[in-house]
Amino acid sequence: MFSIATRRRRPELMDQPGLDDREHARALSGLRRINVVSRTAAALWPSLARLAREQPQGAGPLRVLDIATGGGDTAVALARRAERSGLAIEIDGCDLSAQAVAIARDRAAARGSRVRFFTLDALAAPIPEGYDVLVCSLFLHHLDEDDAVLLLRRMAAAANRLVLVDDLARSRVGCWLAWIACYTLSRSRVVRYDGPVSAAAAFTPAEALDLARRAGLGGVTIRRHWPQRFLLSWCRS
């Protein structure tokens, strides 16, 4: 479980077809609490706020798409930050799972958020045009290397200005934190199983940089942040 020399990918329960709807919903609720504690939106927000302030007058809102949004927690959190700051930022979210999209829509409506959610297979279907920023959090580690490279390449091709990828950084401390967080913050058997599995399947920042290089992304930067995560950023020149 805690060997970090190489990635160890195992099938995660959340990714299995036929997962019971109630189990799926319970798992997404557990992940929401983990996202709050992990402050995922806080790591993404400064880059979005900076771009929104740089928007030329009359250019309209900064348009952001959250890829593999899951239950929509990060997208809604970013939208709420935009509202509080008074910045013109329009945020959408997409996910392969129709049930996750339905849950995300319900959560957004309950919070009075205007985030729009839709189903999309980001590895196969065309990513809609017109987005300034493409964001992806806690999804890269679900992929094998070839698909991770493909996702980065597709995101860079579709983003008008910026790509942000936030994910787990594989480390011994990260594995322990994943185990502790999943058993403390969720009763979902899916979360308790998938969390440590995800930590073992994560890329190191150096490996993520190599993936970006293979995807043809020049000038990528990576910043580590709490808790044992990295934020990969790429700007269109």
Side-chain angles (χ1 to χ4, degrees):
M1 175 179 175
F2 297 110
S3 174
I4 62 166
T6 58
R7 289 185 78 207
R8 291 201 304 156
R9 292 185 68 232
R10 288 180 289 168
E12 297 192 24
L13 299 180
M14 183 78 81
D15 297 333
Q16 301 308 305
L19 178 64
D20 180 77
D21 287 351
R22 289 172 297 180
E23 286 285 358
H24 195 173
R26 189 178 299 116
L28 290 176
S29 292
L31 291 176
R32 175 177 56 81
R33 288 189 289 274
I34 292 171
N35 281 331
V36 170
V37 172
S38 300
R39 294 176 55 80
T40 303
L44 298 166
W45 173 249
S47 298
L48 301 184
R50 175 180 55 80
L51 284 185
R53 294 188 181 103
E54 294 174 354
Q55 279 283 84
Q57 188 172 7
L62 186 79
R63 298 195 67 218
V64 179
L65 177 61
D66 183 26
I67 299 283
T69 193
D73 311 313
T74 299
V76 171
L78 290 172
R80 296 187 73 186
R81 283 176 177 262
E83 291 172 8
R84 290 196 299 267
S85 67
L87 292 175
I89 303 178
E90 180 182 290
I91 299 176
D92 295 339
C94 64
D95 199 277
L96 175 64
S97 167
Q99 187 192 6
V101 167
I103 290 172
R105 286 171 178 164
D106 289 343
R107 286 182 179 169
R111 289 176 171 262
S113 174
R114 297 182 179 180
V115 179
R116 183 176 69 98
F117 294 99
F118 57 93
T119 56
L120 180 78
D121 182 349
L123 292 174
I127 297 176
E129 298 179 352
Y131 288 102
D132 300 295
V133 184
L134 291 190
V135 169
C136 183
S137 62
L138 299 182
F139 179 58
L140 200 69
H141 66 268
H142 286 263
L143 307 176
D144 62 29
E145 289 190 10
D146 288 343
D147 278 346
V149 168
L150 175 61
L151 178 67
L152 291 173
R153 184 181 297 125
R154 288 171 63 85
M155 290 178 69
N160 290 336
R161 300 180 66 182
L162 179 67
V163 168
L164 296 173
V165 177
D166 194 70
D167 216 291
L168 305 172
R170 191 175 74 253
S171 69
R172 192 174 302 278
V173 173
C175 288
W176 279 109
L177 285 176
W179 190 89
I180 293 169
C182 291
Y183 274 80
T184 302
L185 299 174
S186 177
R187 292 184 176 183
S188 166
R189 68 176 183 87
V190 175
V191 172
R192 289 180 172 185
Y193 177 84
D194 283 1
V197 170
S198 290
F203 295 100
T204 64
E207 290 167 349
L209 276 175
D210 185 61
L211 294 174
R213 178 191 60 78
R214 289 165 54 186
L217 279 62
V220 166
T221 63
I222 284 192
R223 177 178 65 84
R224 291 177 176 268
H225 66 91
W226 162 263
Q228 297 297 305
R229 296 193 180 180
F230 65 80
L231 176 64
L232 181 151
S233 304
W234 175 81
C235 294
R236 183 174 297 283
S237 56

